[in-house]
Each structure stands twice: as structure tokens, then as C-alpha cells.
Amino acid sequence: MGYSARRGFSSGSMKATGAQRQAEVQQKIAQMQEAMNTAQEEVEARTFTASVGGGAVEAVANGKKEVVSLSIKPEAVDPEDVEMLQDLVVSAVNEALRQAGEAMDAAMDSVTGGLNLGGFGL
């Protein structure tokens, strides 16, 4: 007599319970995916602004990590020191993109509880 027979379980009821459990897990995964999609859309709709050089250069990026605007004050343009302006632009853009990335990470962590779901394609 097998273990399940001694306990009064038929193999059919165990399978139904397993199938129900799998359906519950799949439903929870689908709910988490929907929440992740919503959080992603919310972050992508936001903008992130970074200003450097005392406000001489300002970059604005969206949550998709796309630069949507770049402002350079005239006093920041020195034909004798183009490298400084280039450095300011790079710094402002990188900071705006960093902010967007951190916001997306925080949004995903709030949905997943910090779980790394990369192996599941989520």
C-alpha cells in the first residue's frame, strides 16, 4: 500500500490539488506582470532633470532613458574651452539617465519585493 493510499488520498485528488496550485501560481505571476507593466508605464511617463555647472547645463530625460531636452546657458559657451562644455553636457545627461534608471529599479522592486525575476523573463 502506497503512502497516499494509507493517508486516504487518491492520486487523482493529488493531481487536482497540484493543478489548482499551479493555476494559482500562474495567476499570481500574471498579476505581478500586470503590476510591473503599470509601474513601468508610470515611470516611463515621468521626466528627470539634472542641472550641472551651477545651472549652466540642464538635461531632461524620460523614464525610457531618452534625452528629451538639453539647455545650455550662453555664458557656458566659451570657444576657448569647448571641453568644459562637453563635460558639462555629458555629466547632465548621465545624471538625468541615472535618475530615470533608479526610478525604474525602485518601481520594479516595489512590485517584486526585490526579487530578481530575470530568469522568468519578467
Side-chain angles (χ1 to χ4, degrees), residues 16-34 115 117 120 122:
T17 302
Q20 288 171 341
R21 178 71 179 137
Q22 183 177 4
E24 290 173 7
V25 169
Q26 288 176 337
Q27 182 180 15
K28 287 181 182 181
I29 289 172
Q31 289 171 345
M32 184 180 287
Q33 182 67 45
E34 182 64 31
L115 296 175
L117 301 175
F120 292 103
L122 299 175

Side-chain angles (χ1 to χ4, degrees), residues 17-122:
T17 302
Q20 288 171 341
R21 178 71 179 137
Q22 183 177 4
E24 290 173 7
V25 169
Q26 288 176 337
Q27 182 180 15
K28 287 181 182 181
I29 289 172
Q31 289 171 345
M32 184 180 287
Q33 182 67 45
E34 182 64 31
M36 289 173 65
N37 289 340
T38 299
Q40 180 178 355
E41 290 170 3
E42 289 172 358
V43 172
E44 287 177 350
R46 292 175 51 195
T47 58
F48 304 88
T49 303
S51 180
V52 297
V57 176
E58 181 179 275
V60 179
N62 62 24
K64 295 178 186 178
K65 296 185 181 179
E66 300 168 332
V67 176
V68 295
S69 73
L70 180 68
S71 301
I72 301 172
K73 289 189 176 179
E75 57 269 18
V77 181
D78 180 357
E80 301 296 319
D81 194 2
V82 174
E83 280 187 16
M84 181 188 70
L85 179 57
Q86 291 169 336
D87 290 343
L88 290 172
V89 169
V90 169
S91 294
V93 169
N94 285 338
E95 175 60 19
L97 295 176
R98 184 194 63 73
Q99 290 174 18
E102 284 183 356
M104 186 64 75
D105 291 345
M108 293 299 108
D109 284 349
S110 73
V111 172
T112 65
L115 296 175
N116 181 359
L117 301 175
F120 292 103
L122 299 175

